[in-house]
Amino acid sequence: MLAFIRGRLLSGLLTIFGVVVLVFFLARLTGSPIDLFFPEGATQAQLESFSRAHGLDRPLLEQFWVFLSNAARGDFGMSIWQQRPALQAALSEMPATLMLTFLAMTVSVIIAVVLGTIAAAFRFRLVDRIITILTLATGSIPHFWFALVSILVFAIILRLVPTSGAGNWQSWILPVATVSLGPIGILTQVTRGAMIEVLSSGFVRNARARGFGSTRILYRHALRNAALPIIAVAGDIAAGMVNGAIIVSVVFAFPGIGKAIIGAVLARDFPVLQACIVVVGIAVVLLNLIIDLIYVVVDPRVRLS
Amino acid sequence: MSYLLEISDLNVTFETRFRTVPAVRNVSLAVGQGESVALVGASGSGKTVLGRSVLGLVDEPGVVRGSILFDGRQVVGRTEEELREIRGVGVAMVFQDALDGLNPVYSVGSQLSEVLTVRLGHSRAEAKERAIELMRQVGIREPESRFNNFPHQFSGGMRQRICIALAVGMRPKLLIADEPTTALDVTVQAGILRLIKTLQRETGMGLIFITHDLAVAREVSERMAVMYNGQIVEEGATEEIFSRPQHPYTRALLLAHPARAKSWRDLEPIPDEFVTDEPSSDNQTVSAPAPTASIG
Ligand SMILES: Nc1ncnc2c1ncn2[C@@H]1O[C@H](COP(=O)(O)OP(=O)(O)OP(=O)(O)O)[C@@H](O)[C@H]1O
Ligand SMILES: [Mg+2]
């Protein structure tokens, strides 16, 4: 068990290292922050002192080495634009991202499991058809379109929720709905498929033959067995949300790591960009580890190795 | 005399868009309290479907017509919710394919306890005690230490025995055992047959034992019904059928059975006209030429 966790963390660190290397060099291909920061007429002395202050005057490989050795100690340098450490700039955006991911995943898993189970229990009947069509639709609606239309309808016309920001709880509704939409569609179909397979198994037939009620059969006997594929897919989706939720940050001006990454890319704020990537990487690695551990709890046949 | 189970004019058909498969045709069969009836017949003759229909477990696209009286009450046409009263505590069934008969994510002990608490209203402590007792009865050694093991930690034969424990644990009035030993090796097979007979003697339950093995049928049953192509073609006292088979199919079955032969050269293959993979949909009763060999 411990060996498994250690192995997973190690391979996770390797992955993060690889991504950071890529980001480090790719970001510098886009140009220098100097071009953005100084107006046309800036003096050579100003440019040089700025370069020196941020280490931009050194050879690329040396910059990389300095970055690596500092990062190993948890120091990602100062943000170029914000007067604070890059790591702090990245971390301060994480609570909103984690909260959004958590809410969206909770909402979509609950809705999808209920809908998928109903669809499987009544497969090929009318309810099943309706659920399938609806969830295929939500799974394929473009996020941008949904976000814009929902702002128009709920925020501007009906004035039920604010148009942007993350001030009060109402402002979370549209962002959570937007990022849940796709996952609800996918997870409902995954649940339905897994449940249909489980419901035709021998042990479900035996549970019926023993006179158990349908609620007990569906939720205690079938769902627990259908949980593995649902968890696997939900895990992937959650990892994607930690990564992105970029639409939400753009359309709803919603805080989060997505917004921080976009900001850092546009402003060529390399230290913040690198810190964000590492923070997201660590979050994703931890998330995957948690999902592996949930597997073990849910299915006794799963062996960690 | 009122029977424990009285099946009359039962028809089960599977109606798909493309064709209709009559799996059980005009079957009538009665089982008394504590009686053992063997149901024999070749693969596809409708034995399992007949057994399932007693529990109301024939699913779409299967259609059940006719009458099944269990303990004087009609089974055919009842809702899933109404059938729960009968299932398990009235009629229990041990199914043919035992390998996925247990839920893989719960320990064997918790599945036994679940039946006892949910269906018999035992307390948790009582249930655990009885579950261990049941495991011992079906021949699981050191049941206390095996209680928390999961199905994948047991062999196929052990899992089948746990399924039997789950069925008899509810003390049903009728046990339908659907080829419970087919997947097991001969040594285990004898043990399970003995176990079922012992449990039957102890609890006084009726037994329908489905098998295609005539030697097994002879060992466990007082009465025997021979199924062919969805119909019961012969029924009577087991010994009577063995010594004086009336129907040509029964004679063919007896001739084909290895237990009667001293060498494989003595075996008669089942005549081609009896070899069916699917029941034919014509509704006439079976008639076939009598086999040439005489039966001793
Ligand atoms: N769900 C179903 N849909 C369609 N046809 C079915 C279904 N279940 C059973 N049948 C058909 O009913 C017939 C009887 O099947 P059944 O399983 O009762 O045979 P059996 O006598 O138990 O055979 P075996 O000895 O191999 O177990 C077969 O022809 C089978 O194809
Ligand atoms: Mg069968």
Side-chain angles (χ1 to χ4, degrees), chain B residues 89-127:
Chain B
V89 290
V91 188
M93 186 156 175
V94 176
F95 288 89
Q96 203 164 2
D97 43 354
L99 284 187
D100 76 336
L102 296 170
N103 193 330
V105 301
Y106 295 111
S107 74
V108 157
S110 78
Q111 295 186 53
L112 279 161
S113 302
E114 183 189 18
V115 164
L116 300 169
T117 50
V118 174
R119 297 298 284 148
L120 300 184
H122 287 10
S123 72
R124 280 175 145 260
E126 272 177 333

mmCIF file of all heavy atoms in Angstrom, chain B residues 89-127:
data_model
loop_
_atom_site.group_PDB
_atom_site.id
_atom_site.type_symbol
_atom_site.label_atom_id
_atom_site.label_comp_id
_atom_site.label_asym_id
_atom_site.label_seq_id
_atom_site.Cartn_x
_atom_site.Cartn_y
_atom_site.Cartn_z
ATOM 1 N N VAL B 89 -38.290 -17.037 0.910
ATOM 2 C CA VAL B 89 -38.836 -17.712 2.085
ATOM 3 C C VAL B 89 -39.852 -18.785 1.712
ATOM 4 O O VAL B 89 -40.032 -19.759 2.442
ATOM 5 C CB VAL B 89 -39.467 -16.703 3.069
ATOM 6 C CG1 VAL B 89 -38.375 -15.868 3.725
ATOM 7 C CG2 VAL B 89 -40.461 -15.812 2.373
ATOM 8 N N GLY B 90 -40.542 -18.632 0.577
ATOM 9 C CA GLY B 90 -41.471 -19.661 0.122
ATOM 10 C C GLY B 90 -40.766 -20.640 -0.804
ATOM 11 O O GLY B 90 -40.627 -21.824 -0.512
ATOM 12 N N VAL B 91 -40.299 -20.109 -1.919
ATOM 13 C CA VAL B 91 -39.536 -20.904 -2.880
ATOM 14 C C VAL B 91 -38.147 -20.301 -3.009
ATOM 15 O O VAL B 91 -38.019 -19.105 -3.239
ATOM 16 C CB VAL B 91 -40.191 -20.864 -4.285
ATOM 17 C CG1 VAL B 91 -39.497 -21.860 -5.203
ATOM 18 C CG2 VAL B 91 -41.669 -21.152 -4.195
ATOM 19 N N ALA B 92 -37.138 -21.127 -2.831
ATOM 20 C CA ALA B 92 -35.778 -20.649 -3.069
ATOM 21 C C ALA B 92 -35.208 -21.417 -4.246
ATOM 22 O O ALA B 92 -35.602 -22.551 -4.500
ATOM 23 C CB ALA B 92 -34.915 -20.852 -1.836
ATOM 24 N N MET B 93 -34.317 -20.755 -4.968
ATOM 25 C CA MET B 93 -33.743 -21.425 -6.132
ATOM 26 C C MET B 93 -32.223 -21.303 -6.103
ATOM 27 O O MET B 93 -31.677 -20.243 -5.816
ATOM 28 C CB MET B 93 -34.311 -20.805 -7.415
ATOM 29 C CG MET B 93 -33.892 -21.521 -8.688
ATOM 30 S SD MET B 93 -35.077 -21.219 -10.043
ATOM 31 C CE MET B 93 -34.250 -22.043 -11.409
ATOM 32 N N VAL B 94 -31.572 -22.420 -6.370
ATOM 33 C CA VAL B 94 -30.119 -22.402 -6.562
ATOM 34 C C VAL B 94 -29.890 -22.488 -8.059
ATOM 35 O O VAL B 94 -30.369 -23.417 -8.708
ATOM 36 C CB VAL B 94 -29.443 -23.591 -5.856
ATOM 37 C CG1 VAL B 94 -27.955 -23.605 -6.152
ATOM 38 C CG2 VAL B 94 -29.691 -23.538 -4.365
ATOM 39 N N PHE B 95 -29.185 -21.504 -8.595
ATOM 40 C CA PHE B 95 -29.077 -21.424 -10.046
ATOM 41 C C PHE B 95 -27.886 -22.187 -10.587
ATOM 42 O O PHE B 95 -26.923 -22.475 -9.883
ATOM 43 C CB PHE B 95 -29.021 -19.959 -10.493
ATOM 44 C CG PHE B 95 -30.339 -19.258 -10.351
ATOM 45 C CD1 PHE B 95 -30.682 -18.621 -9.166
ATOM 46 C CD2 PHE B 95 -31.251 -19.255 -11.386
ATOM 47 C CE1 PHE B 95 -31.897 -17.984 -9.030
ATOM 48 C CE2 PHE B 95 -32.465 -18.622 -11.259
ATOM 49 C CZ PHE B 95 -32.795 -17.978 -10.072
ATOM 50 N N GLN B 96 -28.019 -22.473 -11.873
ATOM 51 C CA GLN B 96 -27.065 -23.270 -12.629
ATOM 52 C C GLN B 96 -25.650 -22.676 -12.654
ATOM 53 O O GLN B 96 -24.675 -23.349 -12.393
ATOM 54 C CB GLN B 96 -27.610 -23.303 -14.061
ATOM 55 C CG GLN B 96 -27.180 -24.425 -14.913
ATOM 56 C CD GLN B 96 -28.104 -24.509 -16.133
ATOM 57 O OE1 GLN B 96 -29.009 -23.699 -16.310
ATOM 58 N NE2 GLN B 96 -27.879 -25.494 -16.962
ATOM 59 N N ASP B 97 -25.591 -21.382 -12.968
ATOM 60 C CA ASP B 97 -24.289 -20.740 -13.160
ATOM 61 C C ASP B 97 -23.868 -20.051 -11.873
ATOM 62 O O ASP B 97 -24.184 -18.907 -11.648
ATOM 63 C CB ASP B 97 -24.376 -19.720 -14.287
ATOM 64 C CG ASP B 97 -25.655 -18.900 -14.176
ATOM 65 O OD1 ASP B 97 -26.477 -19.223 -13.306
ATOM 66 O OD2 ASP B 97 -25.818 -17.927 -14.928
ATOM 67 N N ALA B 98 -23.136 -20.772 -11.042
ATOM 68 C CA ALA B 98 -22.876 -20.247 -9.698
ATOM 69 C C ALA B 98 -21.769 -19.207 -9.681
ATOM 70 O O ALA B 98 -21.627 -18.485 -8.716
ATOM 71 C CB ALA B 98 -22.492 -21.383 -8.781
ATOM 72 N N LEU B 99 -21.003 -19.108 -10.752
ATOM 73 C CA LEU B 99 -19.769 -18.322 -10.627
ATOM 74 C C LEU B 99 -20.033 -16.846 -10.382
ATOM 75 O O LEU B 99 -19.288 -16.194 -9.666
ATOM 76 C CB LEU B 99 -18.877 -18.526 -11.856
ATOM 77 C CG LEU B 99 -18.161 -19.883 -11.803
ATOM 78 C CD1 LEU B 99 -17.167 -20.009 -12.930
ATOM 79 C CD2 LEU B 99 -17.475 -20.089 -10.460
ATOM 80 N N ASP B 100 -21.093 -16.287 -10.971
ATOM 81 C CA ASP B 100 -21.374 -14.897 -10.622
ATOM 82 C C ASP B 100 -22.650 -14.790 -9.772
ATOM 83 O O ASP B 100 -23.335 -13.804 -9.783
ATOM 84 C CB ASP B 100 -21.421 -13.989 -11.863
ATOM 85 C CG ASP B 100 -22.719 -14.170 -12.651
ATOM 86 O OD1 ASP B 100 -23.330 -15.239 -12.532
ATOM 87 O OD2 ASP B 100 -23.097 -13.241 -13.374
ATOM 88 N N GLY B 101 -22.891 -15.829 -9.000
ATOM 89 C CA GLY B 101 -24.086 -15.834 -8.157
ATOM 90 C C GLY B 101 -23.943 -15.033 -6.874
ATOM 91 O O GLY B 101 -24.936 -14.721 -6.230
ATOM 92 N N LEU B 102 -22.701 -14.699 -6.521
ATOM 93 C CA LEU B 102 -22.484 -13.912 -5.307
ATOM 94 C C LEU B 102 -22.013 -12.523 -5.695
ATOM 95 O O LEU B 102 -21.284 -12.356 -6.666
ATOM 96 C CB LEU B 102 -21.431 -14.583 -4.423
ATOM 97 C CG LEU B 102 -21.809 -15.955 -3.886
ATOM 98 C CD1 LEU B 102 -20.607 -16.623 -3.233
ATOM 99 C CD2 LEU B 102 -22.955 -15.839 -2.890
ATOM 100 N N ASN B 103 -22.432 -11.543 -4.916
ATOM 101 C CA ASN B 103 -22.026 -10.172 -5.198
ATOM 102 C C ASN B 103 -20.544 -9.990 -4.873
ATOM 103 O O ASN B 103 -20.138 -10.161 -3.726
ATOM 104 C CB ASN B 103 -22.878 -9.214 -4.360
ATOM 105 C CG ASN B 103 -22.743 -7.783 -4.823
ATOM 106 O OD1 ASN B 103 -21.705 -7.394 -5.339
ATOM 107 N ND2 ASN B 103 -23.796 -7.014 -4.650
ATOM 108 N N PRO B 104 -19.738 -9.634 -5.887
ATOM 109 C CA PRO B 104 -18.291 -9.609 -5.667
ATOM 110 C C PRO B 104 -17.809 -8.557 -4.665
ATOM 111 O O PRO B 104 -16.704 -8.681 -4.154
ATOM 112 C CB PRO B 104 -17.720 -9.315 -7.057
ATOM 113 C CG PRO B 104 -18.857 -8.760 -7.840
ATOM 114 C CD PRO B 104 -20.100 -9.369 -7.277
ATOM 115 N N VAL B 105 -18.605 -7.540 -4.388
ATOM 116 C CA VAL B 105 -18.087 -6.466 -3.534
ATOM 117 C C VAL B 105 -18.473 -6.607 -2.058
ATOM 118 O O VAL B 105 -18.097 -5.762 -1.256
ATOM 119 C CB VAL B 105 -18.496 -5.067 -4.042
ATOM 120 C CG1 VAL B 105 -17.984 -4.839 -5.444
ATOM 121 C CG2 VAL B 105 -19.986 -4.871 -3.975
ATOM 122 N N TYR B 106 -19.225 -7.652 -1.718
ATOM 123 C CA TYR B 106 -19.537 -7.838 -0.301
ATOM 124 C C TYR B 106 -18.979 -9.178 0.178
ATOM 125 O O TYR B 106 -18.931 -10.145 -0.587
ATOM 126 C CB TYR B 106 -21.047 -7.798 -0.057
ATOM 127 C CG TYR B 106 -21.647 -6.451 -0.353
ATOM 128 C CD1 TYR B 106 -22.498 -6.265 -1.436
ATOM 129 C CD2 TYR B 106 -21.335 -5.353 0.450
ATOM 130 C CE1 TYR B 106 -23.031 -5.018 -1.716
ATOM 131 C CE2 TYR B 106 -21.868 -4.111 0.176
ATOM 132 C CZ TYR B 106 -22.715 -3.948 -0.905
ATOM 133 O OH TYR B 106 -23.228 -2.713 -1.174
ATOM 134 N N SER B 107 -18.587 -9.221 1.427
ATOM 135 C CA SER B 107 -18.045 -10.469 1.950
ATOM 136 C C SER B 107 -19.160 -11.509 1.996
ATOM 137 O O SER B 107 -20.348 -11.186 2.056
ATOM 138 C CB SER B 107 -17.468 -10.250 3.348
ATOM 139 O OG SER B 107 -18.517 -10.112 4.277
ATOM 140 N N VAL B 108 -18.731 -12.755 1.926
ATOM 141 C CA VAL B 108 -19.678 -13.858 1.945
ATOM 142 C C VAL B 108 -20.523 -13.811 3.218
ATOM 143 O O VAL B 108 -21.737 -14.003 3.199
ATOM 144 C CB VAL B 108 -18.884 -15.182 1.831
ATOM 145 C CG1 VAL B 108 -19.676 -16.339 2.380
ATOM 146 C CG2 VAL B 108 -18.485 -15.407 0.390
ATOM 147 N N GLY B 109 -19.853 -13.514 4.334
ATOM 148 C CA GLY B 109 -20.580 -13.444 5.602
ATOM 149 C C GLY B 109 -21.648 -12.369 5.587
ATOM 150 O O GLY B 109 -22.768 -12.579 6.059
ATOM 151 N N SER B 110 -21.316 -11.207 5.010
ATOM 152 C CA SER B 110 -22.305 -10.130 5.043
ATOM 153 C C SER B 110 -23.478 -10.456 4.119
ATOM 154 O O SER B 110 -24.602 -10.041 4.380
ATOM 155 C CB SER B 110 -21.666 -8.788 4.682
ATOM 156 O OG SER B 110 -21.479 -8.698 3.294
ATOM 157 N N GLN B 111 -23.231 -11.235 3.049
ATOM 158 C CA GLN B 111 -24.347 -11.599 2.174
ATOM 159 C C GLN B 111 -25.276 -12.604 2.850
ATOM 160 O O GLN B 111 -26.493 -12.528 2.722
ATOM 161 C CB GLN B 111 -23.822 -12.149 0.843
ATOM 162 C CG GLN B 111 -23.065 -11.089 0.068
ATOM 163 C CD GLN B 111 -22.643 -11.527 -1.321
ATOM 164 O OE1 GLN B 111 -23.448 -11.980 -2.123
ATOM 165 N NE2 GLN B 111 -21.361 -11.383 -1.614
ATOM 166 N N LEU B 112 -24.675 -13.539 3.599
ATOM 167 C CA LEU B 112 -25.510 -14.476 4.354
ATOM 168 C C LEU B 112 -26.294 -13.725 5.435
ATOM 169 O O LEU B 112 -27.493 -13.928 5.610
ATOM 170 C CB LEU B 112 -24.632 -15.548 4.997
ATOM 171 C CG LEU B 112 -24.208 -16.699 4.081
ATOM 172 C CD1 LEU B 112 -23.008 -17.431 4.652
ATOM 173 C CD2 LEU B 112 -25.361 -17.669 3.891
ATOM 174 N N SER B 113 -25.608 -12.844 6.138
ATOM 175 C CA SER B 113 -26.282 -12.088 7.206
ATOM 176 C C SER B 113 -27.403 -11.225 6.646
ATOM 177 O O SER B 113 -28.454 -11.084 7.274
ATOM 178 C CB SER B 113 -25.280 -11.190 7.936
ATOM 179 O OG SER B 113 -24.243 -11.955 8.475
ATOM 180 N N GLU B 114 -27.143 -10.653 5.456
ATOM 181 C CA GLU B 114 -28.160 -9.782 4.862
ATOM 182 C C GLU B 114 -29.476 -10.533 4.676
ATOM 183 O O GLU B 114 -30.549 -10.039 5.028
ATOM 184 C CB GLU B 114 -27.674 -9.257 3.508
ATOM 185 C CG GLU B 114 -28.651 -8.286 2.858
ATOM 186 C CD GLU B 114 -28.270 -7.937 1.429
ATOM 187 O OE1 GLU B 114 -27.481 -8.670 0.820
ATOM 188 O OE2 GLU B 114 -28.797 -6.920 0.929
ATOM 189 N N VAL B 115 -29.378 -11.742 4.125
ATOM 190 C CA VAL B 115 -30.582 -12.543 3.914
ATOM 191 C C VAL B 115 -31.309 -12.773 5.238
ATOM 192 O O VAL B 115 -32.530 -12.643 5.335
ATOM 193 C CB VAL B 115 -30.200 -13.893 3.265
ATOM 194 C CG1 VAL B 115 -31.334 -14.877 3.402
ATOM 195 C CG2 VAL B 115 -29.851 -13.681 1.815
ATOM 196 N N LEU B 116 -30.531 -13.089 6.260
ATOM 197 C CA LEU B 116 -31.146 -13.455 7.537
ATOM 198 C C LEU B 116 -31.755 -12.245 8.250
ATOM 199 O O LEU B 116 -32.816 -12.352 8.862
ATOM 200 C CB LEU B 116 -30.119 -14.136 8.439
ATOM 201 C CG LEU B 116 -29.527 -15.424 7.843
ATOM 202 C CD1 LEU B 116 -28.339 -15.912 8.649
ATOM 203 C CD2 LEU B 116 -30.591 -16.508 7.762
ATOM 204 N N THR B 117 -31.092 -11.092 8.149
ATOM 205 C CA THR B 117 -31.667 -9.912 8.810
ATOM 206 C C THR B 117 -32.830 -9.355 8.000
ATOM 207 O O THR B 117 -33.892 -9.073 8.556
ATOM 208 C CB THR B 117 -30.614 -8.793 9.000
ATOM 209 O OG1 THR B 117 -29.957 -8.572 7.760
ATOM 210 C CG2 THR B 117 -29.600 -9.165 10.052
ATOM 211 N N VAL B 118 -32.627 -9.238 6.680
ATOM 212 C CA VAL B 118 -33.668 -8.584 5.880
ATOM 213 C C VAL B 118 -34.888 -9.484 5.697
ATOM 214 O O VAL B 118 -36.025 -9.033 5.822
ATOM 215 C CB VAL B 118 -33.110 -8.180 4.496
ATOM 216 C CG1 VAL B 118 -34.213 -7.627 3.612
ATOM 217 C CG2 VAL B 118 -32.012 -7.137 4.666
ATOM 218 N N ARG B 119 -34.666 -10.764 5.433
ATOM 219 C CA ARG B 119 -35.794 -11.635 5.107
ATOM 220 C C ARG B 119 -36.375 -12.347 6.311
ATOM 221 O O ARG B 119 -37.554 -12.675 6.330
ATOM 222 C CB ARG B 119 -35.374 -12.667 4.049
ATOM 223 C CG ARG B 119 -34.984 -12.055 2.737
ATOM 224 C CD ARG B 119 -36.136 -11.310 2.085
ATOM 225 N NE ARG B 119 -37.104 -12.213 1.484
ATOM 226 C CZ ARG B 119 -38.410 -11.962 1.414
ATOM 227 N NH1 ARG B 119 -38.885 -10.851 1.934
ATOM 228 N NH2 ARG B 119 -39.217 -12.818 0.851
ATOM 229 N N LEU B 120 -35.538 -12.632 7.311
ATOM 230 C CA LEU B 120 -36.071 -13.368 8.464
ATOM 231 C C LEU B 120 -36.148 -12.504 9.721
ATOM 232 O O LEU B 120 -36.596 -12.957 10.764
ATOM 233 C CB LEU B 120 -35.228 -14.623 8.743
ATOM 234 C CG LEU B 120 -35.159 -15.652 7.612
ATOM 235 C CD1 LEU B 120 -34.393 -16.881 8.052
ATOM 236 C CD2 LEU B 120 -36.558 -16.045 7.131
ATOM 237 N N GLY B 121 -35.687 -11.256 9.631
ATOM 238 C CA GLY B 121 -35.789 -10.358 10.771
ATOM 239 C C GLY B 121 -34.875 -10.691 11.938
ATOM 240 O O GLY B 121 -35.119 -10.279 13.071
ATOM 241 N N HIS B 122 -33.803 -11.434 11.667
ATOM 242 C CA HIS B 122 -32.839 -11.703 12.744
ATOM 243 C C HIS B 122 -32.115 -10.436 13.142
ATOM 244 O O HIS B 122 -31.965 -9.514 12.334
ATOM 245 C CB HIS B 122 -31.789 -12.716 12.273
ATOM 246 C CG HIS B 122 -32.306 -14.110 12.172
ATOM 247 N ND1 HIS B 122 -33.632 -14.426 12.271
ATOM 248 C CD2 HIS B 122 -31.649 -15.296 11.979
ATOM 249 C CE1 HIS B 122 -33.790 -15.736 12.143
ATOM 250 N NE2 HIS B 122 -32.599 -16.288 11.952
ATOM 251 N N SER B 123 -31.637 -10.394 14.387
ATOM 252 C CA SER B 123 -30.739 -9.303 14.784
ATOM 253 C C SER B 123 -29.379 -9.581 14.153
ATOM 254 O O SER B 123 -29.108 -10.686 13.691
ATOM 255 C CB SER B 123 -30.593 -9.263 16.299
ATOM 256 O OG SER B 123 -29.814 -10.363 16.731
ATOM 257 N N ARG B 124 -28.529 -8.549 14.156
ATOM 258 C CA ARG B 124 -27.215 -8.716 13.527
ATOM 259 C C ARG B 124 -26.409 -9.844 14.171
ATOM 260 O O ARG B 124 -25.766 -10.636 13.496
ATOM 261 C CB ARG B 124 -26.426 -7.407 13.630
ATOM 262 C CG ARG B 124 -26.856 -6.406 12.581
ATOM 263 C CD ARG B 124 -26.157 -5.070 12.773
ATOM 264 N NE ARG B 124 -25.887 -4.472 11.452
ATOM 265 C CZ ARG B 124 -24.713 -4.519 10.860
ATOM 266 N NH1 ARG B 124 -23.688 -5.093 11.473
ATOM 267 N NH2 ARG B 124 -24.540 -3.976 9.683
ATOM 268 N N ALA B 125 -26.454 -9.884 15.501
ATOM 269 C CA ALA B 125 -25.665 -10.900 16.207
ATOM 270 C C ALA B 125 -26.193 -12.301 15.904
ATOM 271 O O ALA B 125 -25.421 -13.213 15.572
ATOM 272 C CB ALA B 125 -25.691 -10.627 17.700
ATOM 273 N N GLU B 126 -27.518 -12.457 15.986
ATOM 274 C CA GLU B 126 -28.134 -13.742 15.646
ATOM 275 C C GLU B 126 -27.747 -14.156 14.242
ATOM 276 O O GLU B 126 -27.408 -15.313 13.980
ATOM 277 C CB GLU B 126 -29.669 -13.601 15.645
ATOM 278 C CG GLU B 126 -30.373 -13.809 16.934
ATOM 279 C CD GLU B 126 -31.879 -13.555 16.744
ATOM 280 O OE1 GLU B 126 -32.261 -12.772 15.836
ATOM 281 O OE2 GLU B 126 -32.657 -14.128 17.473
ATOM 282 N N ALA B 127 -27.851 -13.180 13.309
ATOM 283 C CA ALA B 127 -27.604 -13.472 11.902
ATOM 284 C C ALA B 127 -26.187 -13.970 11.706
ATOM 285 O O ALA B 127 -25.955 -14.940 10.989
ATOM 286 C CB ALA B 127 -27.859 -12.234 11.048
#
